[in-house]
Amino acid sequence: MPSLNGMTSVNGSSKFLDYSTALEALSEYQSRDGLGIEDLIDTKTRGGLTYNDFLILPGYIGFPASEVALDSPITKRITLKTPFVSSPMDTVTEHEMAIHMALQGGLGVIHHNCSPEAQADMVRKVKRYENGFIVDPVVISKETTVEEARALKEKWGFGGFPVTESGKLGSKLLGIVTNRDLQFEDDLSQPVNKVMVTDLVTAQLGVTLPEANKILAKSRKGKLPIVDKDFNLVSMISRSDLTKNLDFPLASKLPDSKQLICAAAIGTRPEDKLRLKKLVDAGLDIVILDSSQGNSMYQIDMLKWVKKEYPGLDVIGGNVVTREQAAGLIAAGVDGLRIGMGSGSACITQEVMAVGRPQAAAVYSVSAFAARFGVPCIADGGVQNVGHVVKGLALGASTVMMGGLLAGTTESPGTSFVSREGKLVKAYRGMGSIDAMQDKKAGAGNKNTQASNAGTARYFSEGDSVLVAQGVSGAVAHRGSINRFVPYLAAGLKHSLQDCGMRSLKELHEKAASGILRFEIRTASAQLEGGVNMESYEKKLYA
C-alpha cells in the first residue's frame, strides 16, 4: 500500500509483524493485560479497596445484551431471576416493596422494626398477592354482612370472596361476592347472600393448573372455584394471577404454589423465636438473622435453633466481612451470608466504632471462602449505581442488597416531601440512627420499647442507658417506581456483562476465579477522568 502522508514508523519502530498474526502474538506475554482478582484484592500491598478503587477490563462481545442470563442463587436452595435484593430497613422494605421486588425477579426483605403481628401481616400480603391454586382463600359465610366483606377487601387489598355454608374451606360452595357486588350497595348490614353471584363456573378436584387456567380464560369470570364431587370448596384460581404471569415473566415464585417468594428479618433475642413462628405461619420462605456483627454466640445459637425447628426454612446469616466471621456461621448450617459492615450510605459504624472493612475487600474475601462450601453471598452496602452492582457480583457475590438506592422509589414506606431546594425526596434512615433506635412501633404495648426495637437489637444496644448512633437520618432523591428502576438496573447489568464478554453471572464468577476476567486499579486521577467533566449537565439515568 502506498504511503499517503510519509509515515514510516510507529512508536519508533519501522519493522512490523504481519497484522494477521496479532492474536497469536498475545501468547508472547507472560500474563493477560490488567490484574487477576487475587492480585487486585491483595490487602497486604494495596490496602482495603472499595468499589470506586478499580475497574473491570472489557472482553470480547460476541452476543447481544438480551442473551445475558442474570439467574443467581440467594440461598443454597433458592435462585432468583435477577440478583437484586432490598434491605430490611424501615424506610426501604415493607410488603409493597417486597411484592414488586419479587415481581421483577428479585427479593424484598421485610424489616422487623414493627410488632410481630404487623410483620406477619406483611408476609401474608406478599404470599397472597399471586398464586397458582389458592389453597387457603379468604372464605366468608352467608351471614357475613356487606360491611364486613368491605372491611376484608380493605385489609387484604383484593376482593372476590367465596361464600360457603360454614364460612370455611371444605364446606359447600354457595356463591362468590365480587367488588362489583359491594361497590354501590347502600345497606351495609344485609348479609352477602343477598348480593352474591350464584351463577358460578367451577372445576372439579384433580384438574391441573394449565387446564384450570384454560377454563378460567374461557369463562370470563374473575375467579374459578375448585370443588369436590359434593360441591365443597377445595381451592380456587384467580384471573388476576393469569395477568400477572403475562406482565411479570421473571417473578420470583415457588414452583409448586406459584406464590411470590418472601423474606423477612428477625433479631437474635429469645422473643424473636416467637416472632419467627408468626412469620412461618404466615408463609415465610427465607429468614435473615439481622445483626451488624453476625459472628456472635447469639446468632450462632439462633441459627442452630432455627435449622432444627424449621428445617424447610432457608436462613441467611450476617453481617460478616472476614473469613473467620463467616466460618462459624457456615459450620452452623447457614444457607446464605450477608456481607458488609459500615459501608452503607446511611451507616457510620466504621467512623464511630472503628470496626468494619472496605466493601470490595470484604466481598471478595468472604465470598471466595463461602463458595468452597456452596454458600451464596449477598453484597450488602456501598452500592450507589449500576457499576457498583456489577463490581460486587464480579468479586464473587451472588446477589446485591440495596438500601439507599431503593429508598427513593414509590414502593418504599418512606415519607415523600419537597426539599429546601425544591426537589421531591423521600425520608431515609439507617437502622443504627437515633430515630430508628427510638422508634416505638416494634415495642407497641411493651413498657420497655427500646428492648423490642430492631435498631437497638441489630447493634446490641437494647440495654444501653445511652444510645450510640451507628447511622444517620436524611433523605434521598425520588426515583419513581420499582417497576421502572429495577428493569433499568437489570438492563445496565446486562450491558456491563456484555462489555466484559460474559453471558451469565455464573460465567462471570468462573472467569474471575480462573483469572480470565481482568481488573485495573483506579487512581484518584482516573476516577476524576471517568466522571463527568462539564460546566453544567443533566444526568438522566434511564428513559
Side-chain angles (χ1 to χ4, degrees):
M1 177 182 293
S3 176
L4 299 181
N5 59 7
M7 182 187 71
T8 58
S9 67
V10 177
N11 288 349
S13 174
S14 57
K15 293 183 178 180
F16 309 124
L17 299 176
D18 181 352
Y19 70 87
S20 65
T21 65
L23 292 175
E24 288 82 355
L26 291 174
S27 62
E28 299 172 9
Y29 296 87
Q30 292 184 348
S31 65
R32 299 172 67 90
D33 212 347
L35 301 170
I37 194 167
E38 291 185 3
D39 291 331
L40 173 73
I41 311 291
D42 184 351
T43 56
K44 294 180 180 178
T45 59
R46 306 190 194 283
L49 299 185
T50 68
Y51 292 146
N52 285 333
D53 291 326
F54 69 95
L55 288 171
I56 305 170
L57 297 186
Y60 171 69
I61 297 178
F63 50 89
S66 59
E67 290 186 4
V68 174
L70 300 182
D71 304 60
S72 197
I74 182 77
T75 67
K76 292 176 181 177
R77 297 185 291 190
I78 297 177
T79 294
L80 306 178
K81 293 292 185 182
T82 58
F84 308 124
V85 184
S86 66
S87 180
M89 304 171 73
D90 61 6
T91 52
V92 178
T93 310
E94 291 188 346
H95 64 277
E96 281 292 328
M97 178 68 76
I99 286 169
H100 289 277
M101 285 296 293
L103 289 175
Q104 294 297 335
L107 184 71
V109 185
I110 298 172
H111 74 86
H112 59 119
N113 205 22
C114 57
S115 69
E117 293 76 18
Q119 191 181 20
D121 193 45
M122 287 188 270
V123 171
R124 270 187 217 96
K125 288 179 179 178
V126 176
K127 298 304 294 182
R128 287 185 179 274
Y129 186 80
E130 186 170 353
N131 302 270
F133 285 112
I134 306 172
V135 295
D136 58 343
V138 179
V139 183
I140 59 179
S141 71
K142 58 185 178 181
E143 288 84 17
T144 302
T145 65
V146 170
E147 185 176 20
E148 290 170 335
R150 282 186 178 179
L152 285 173
K153 178 181 180 297
E154 190 70 26
K155 176 182 178 180
W156 293 111
F158 60 83
F161 305 114
V163 181
T164 66
E165 282 280 5
S166 67
K168 296 180 180 179
L169 194 68
S171 179
K172 186 176 181 181
L173 179 65
L174 302 178
I176 290 180
V177 175
T178 69
N179 290 330
R180 285 173 293 184
D181 302 322
L182 302 173
Q183 189 172 13
F184 300 111
E185 188 57 51
D186 294 327
D187 186 359
L188 303 184
S189 62
Q190 68 174 318
V192 293
N193 65 344
K194 300 292 185 180
V195 298
M196 67 184 183
V197 175
T198 56
D199 179 21
L200 303 177
V201 176
T202 63
Q204 285 294 309
L205 178 64
V207 66
T208 66
L209 185 58
E211 290 170 344
N213 285 335
K214 287 181 180 179
I215 296 171
L216 180 61
K218 291 180 180 179
S219 72
R220 299 186 179 180
K221 300 283 188 179
K223 300 285 192 296
L224 178 70
I226 311 299
V227 296
D228 63 15
K229 59 183 177 61
D230 297 320
F231 214 68
N232 295 317
L233 180 66
V234 176
S235 64
M236 62 189 299
I237 65 172
S238 171
R239 178 176 293 275
S240 63
D241 293 326
L242 289 177
T243 305
K244 291 167 191 172
N245 283 333
L246 295 175
D247 293 341
F248 303 102
L250 299 177
S252 303
K253 294 188 286 190
L254 296 175
D256 49 356
S257 69
K258 306 299 182 183
Q259 291 180 323
L260 296 179
I261 297 172
C262 184
I266 64 169
T268 55
R269 300 162 300 194
E271 56 264 35
D272 284 300
K273 294 179 180 179
L274 300 176
R275 177 184 289 266
L276 181 59
K277 184 180 187 306
K278 293 180 184 294
L279 300 182
V280 171
D281 290 343
L284 189 68
D285 303 301
I286 301 171
V287 63
I288 285 188
L289 303 182
D290 189 29
S291 175
S292 64
Q293 214 282 52
N295 185 28
S296 69
M297 59 183 180
Y298 312 109
Q299 183 157 148
I300 290 175
D301 288 347
M302 178 66 88
L303 172 58
K304 291 179 178 178
W305 180 84
V306 175
K307 296 302 293 183
K308 179 181 177 181
E309 293 294 318
Y310 304 103
L313 183 66
D314 282 13
V315 186
I316 296 174
N319 282 33
V320 296
V321 293
T322 69
R323 291 190 298 268
E324 288 74 17
Q325 282 182 295
L329 296 175
I330 293 172
V334 78
D335 298 300
L337 286 170
R338 192 172 162 203
I339 305 171
M341 190 174 184
S343 57
S345 61
C347 186
I348 55 173
T349 296
Q350 294 181 12
E351 173 189 336
V352 175
M353 300 294 130
V355 178
R357 195 174 195 180
Q359 187 67 346
V363 171
Y364 172 70
S365 179
V366 175
S367 60
F369 179 73
R372 298 174 59 187
F373 306 94
V375 178
C377 291
I378 304 170
D380 174 21
V383 176
Q384 300 169 8
N385 50 53
V386 178
H388 290 168
V389 171
V390 179
K391 291 175 183 180
L393 296 169
L395 292 173
S398 297
T399 54
V400 173
M401 179 173 281
M402 297 164 284
L405 202 62
L406 301 179
T409 59
T410 306
E411 290 76 12
S412 75
T415 304
S416 297
F417 61 96
V418 177
S419 68
R420 294 176 183 175
E421 293 77 23
K423 296 180 179 179
L424 184 61
V425 297
K426 291 197 79 170
Y428 174 56
R429 66 188 187 189
M431 292 306 293
S433 66
I434 296 298
D435 286 347
M437 289 195 287
Q438 290 183 331
D439 194 296
K440 297 182 179 181
K441 290 194 296 292
N446 296 336
K447 291 183 179 180
N448 186 1
T449 57
Q450 183 172 310
S452 303
N453 183 280
T456 56
R458 188 172 202 277
Y459 294 92
F460 305 102
S461 303
E462 303 99 312
D464 291 357
S465 58
V466 177
L467 294 176
V468 179
Q470 296 190 47
V472 299
S473 300
V476 292
H478 204 290
R479 298 185 184 276
S481 174
I482 277 288
N483 295 324
R484 292 287 308 281
F485 191 66
V486 169
Y488 151 71
L489 294 177
L493 177 55
K494 286 185 175 184
H495 279 283
S496 179
L497 264 63
Q498 182 192 38
D499 283 343
C500 298
M502 305 296 159
R503 291 179 176 269
S504 65
L505 292 178
K506 181 175 183 291
E507 184 180 5
L508 179 74
H509 289 153
E510 291 173 347
K511 294 295 176 63
S514 66
I516 294 176
L517 185 69
R518 309 297 284 183
F519 303 84
E520 191 74 277
I521 292 293
R522 199 180 184 204
T523 65
S525 297
Q527 293 182 40
L528 181 64
E529 176 188 66
V532 179
N533 296 286
M534 297 172 61
E535 188 67 30
S536 64
Y537 64 93
E538 181 183 10
K539 191 173 184 180
K540 294 180 67 174
L541 295 179
Y542 55 88

